[in-house]
Amino acid sequence: MNKNGVVIVGACQAGFQVACSLRSGGYAEPITLLGAEPYAPYQRPPLSKAFLKDASEVSSLSFRQAAFYTEQRIEFVGASLVSDIDLTQRVASTRSGKRYHFDQLVLATGARPRKLSIPGGDLDAVITLRSLGDAIALHGRLAEAVHIVIIGGGFIGLEVAATAALLGRHVTILEERGRLMGRAVAPDISEFFLQAHRNKGVAVHLNTSATSIEDVEGRVTGVCTGDGRRIPADLVVVGIGVEPRRELAVAAGLATNGGIIVDDCGRTSVDGVYAAGDNASHPHPFGVADMSVIESVQNAVDQAKSVAGAILGQSIAHGAVPWFWSDQGETKLQIAGLSAAGDDVILRGTPEDGRFSALHFRDRRLVAVDSVNSPADHMA
């Protein structure tokens, strides 16, 4: 019989969902949810969109009110950064010295933004966006900034660019690859969004890398590029991807690759230890040969439900079609499946109409769909 119950390290989407699914599934033992941030579990997608325009309703981001955790007997402990896991004693220790004993452990530590490794990359006005704290800081900076340089043409960078342009700022995007969102979408989708952002007044430079960030007495003044240009800036937003937080797993001796290796029910290489969310590397049945970390809300939720099922003694294999979305101004991009598995692309509709989809096939089998302002295609 469990005495210590489940300790969940990480109060993100996945960690929150594990706790909720355990209780709804009839789990009666203690559940402790440890979050490194001081905030109760909250939604992250609005941080790069609506929240940057209006940060007045921070509380609206929360998944649940405080009473929910009391009613569900979920002990949420904020500002609790776990620094060590002892799998022999079954104890998770925080940096402040508190110790939490567990029978089962769930690692939902998520991912951290990649940092710039160039001169000036650590200046105060060089900001990444991942957490609520980041978003609050960026919102404050946006109110004063005039020239904004965004390094990285992925989802986060483009969403921030769309919001900043809407606020009337001068925005420049630097993308070191040959097209926007190059790892995630078909070339026609990239080209459509390139033109959409340029039409809104955003300067987009492809095949361009930042080599240094200039400052005067610590105040950002410009970004220098590999082709010799200097772009004025008083705010720099970095969106060059993320890295799974796997240090605790590595130190504890769990099997890892790019993330924490799990099976299709979220089990790690150690009995009674699970992982879910942006830190979990799992097998995927949709045409991807290697194990992969998939960064999306849907994936975090589905993995968390599989983990809860495994703890409850059920086998709920994670195998749902992954899906993603990105709101960039008035344009919505929705993705179903993993386009990296495809080797042929067919367009449904035309970019000129502003509503179309790119259908990815492999051996005549549909493996992914990128949809622009076409929700019906996405749902199908």
Side-chain angles (χ1 to χ4, degrees):
M1 179 178 178
N2 291 339
K3 295 180 180 179
N4 297 309
V6 174
V7 168
I8 303 168
V9 180
C12 56
Q13 179 80 63
F16 172 78
Q17 186 63 55
V18 170
C20 293
S21 295
L22 283 172
R23 281 292 183 246
S24 64
Y27 188 79
E29 304 303 331
I31 298 174
T32 304
L33 181 60
L34 303 177
E37 298 180 61
Y39 314 103
Y42 60 87
Q43 306 172 63
R44 293 184 187 272
L47 297 182
S48 57
K49 311 176 194 64
F51 185 83
L52 290 184
K53 289 184 286 186
D54 181 8
S56 62
E57 295 295 332
V58 174
S59 61
S60 67
L61 296 175
S62 297
F63 289 128
R64 297 288 190 277
Q65 298 300 315
F68 169 83
Y69 299 95
T70 301
E71 293 166 359
Q72 294 296 313
R73 295 181 295 110
I74 297 170
E75 182 185 4
F76 166 68
V77 187
S80 295
L81 181 63
V82 174
S83 57
D84 179 70
I85 296 170
D86 185 333
L87 294 181
T88 301
Q89 299 296 320
R90 311 293 265 192
V91 175
S93 301
T94 68
R95 184 172 290 177
S96 64
K98 292 186 177 181
R99 292 161 54 86
Y100 295 89
H101 294 265
F102 58 83
D103 295 302
Q104 288 89 23
L105 176 72
V106 180
L107 296 175
T109 46
R112 67 169 59 83
R114 290 192 174 96
K115 301 285 187 180
L116 282 179
S117 57
I118 61 174
D122 57 352
L123 289 167
D124 189 45
V126 179
I127 294 179
T128 56
L129 178 56
R130 180 73 178 180
S131 68
L132 179 53
D134 294 337
I136 291 172
L138 180 55
H139 179 269
R141 294 278 185 179
L142 277 175
E144 303 174 352
V146 176
H147 296 281
I148 301 168
V149 172
I150 296 173
I151 300 176
F155 289 173
I156 292 294
L158 296 179
E159 289 168 1
V160 173
T163 301
L166 186 65
L167 293 173
R169 308 300 184 260
H170 297 282
V171 183
T172 300
I173 297 173
L174 304 180
E175 168 53 48
E176 65 179 7
R177 292 175 174 249
R179 59 189 181 93
L180 300 177
M181 301 178 287
R183 296 184 181 90
V185 300
D188 291 282
I189 303 286
S190 296
E191 180 63 24
F192 177 86
F193 277 93
L194 172 64
Q195 297 306 322
H197 282 278
R198 284 177 171 169
N199 290 342
K200 295 296 184 182
V202 176
V204 183
H205 301 291
L206 303 176
N207 297 305
T208 304
S209 59
T211 55
S212 66
I213 299 175
E214 295 184 339
D215 72 290
V216 174
E217 297 181 349
R219 181 174 59 85
V220 169
T221 57
V223 177
C224 297
T225 66
D227 55 8
R229 280 178 288 182
R230 180 190 178 278
I231 301 171
D234 44 31
L235 174 64
V236 177
V237 180
V238 180
I240 56 175
V242 298
E243 300 171 335
R245 295 181 183 271
R246 59 191 188 103
E247 308 84 64
L248 287 174
V250 171
L254 300 178
T256 62
N257 47 24
I260 304 170
I261 296 175
V262 297
D263 66 8
D264 56 9
C265 289
R267 305 180 187 94
T268 70
S269 57
V270 173
D271 185 48
V273 180
Y274 307 81
D278 292 354
N279 61 337
S281 181
H282 62 100
H284 212 285
F286 291 93
V288 179
D290 297 328
M291 301 184 73
S292 58
V293 175
I294 297 178
E295 301 156 20
S296 79
V297 170
Q298 168 265 337
N299 185 71
V301 170
D302 286 345
Q303 277 193 327
K305 291 178 179 178
S306 293
V307 166
I311 293 173
L312 291 166
Q314 306 162 3
S315 182
I316 306 173
H318 171 57
V321 175
W323 54 268
F324 317 81
W325 80 94
S326 177
D327 293 328
Q328 300 175 29
E330 69 275 14
T331 305
K332 178 179 284 291
L333 169 65
Q334 294 170 289
I335 301 172
L338 300 174
S339 60
D343 55 17
D344 189 22
V345 180
I346 297 175
L347 291 188
R348 172 181 167 89
T350 63
E352 291 74 21
D353 293 337
R355 295 167 58 89
F356 71 106
S357 296
L359 282 62
H360 298 262
F361 292 85
R362 185 180 186 88
D363 299 328
R364 293 180 172 272
R365 174 174 174 255
L366 183 66
V367 294
V369 178
D370 307 330
S371 300
V372 176
N373 296 328
S374 301
D377 287 357
H378 175 74
M379 292 305 296

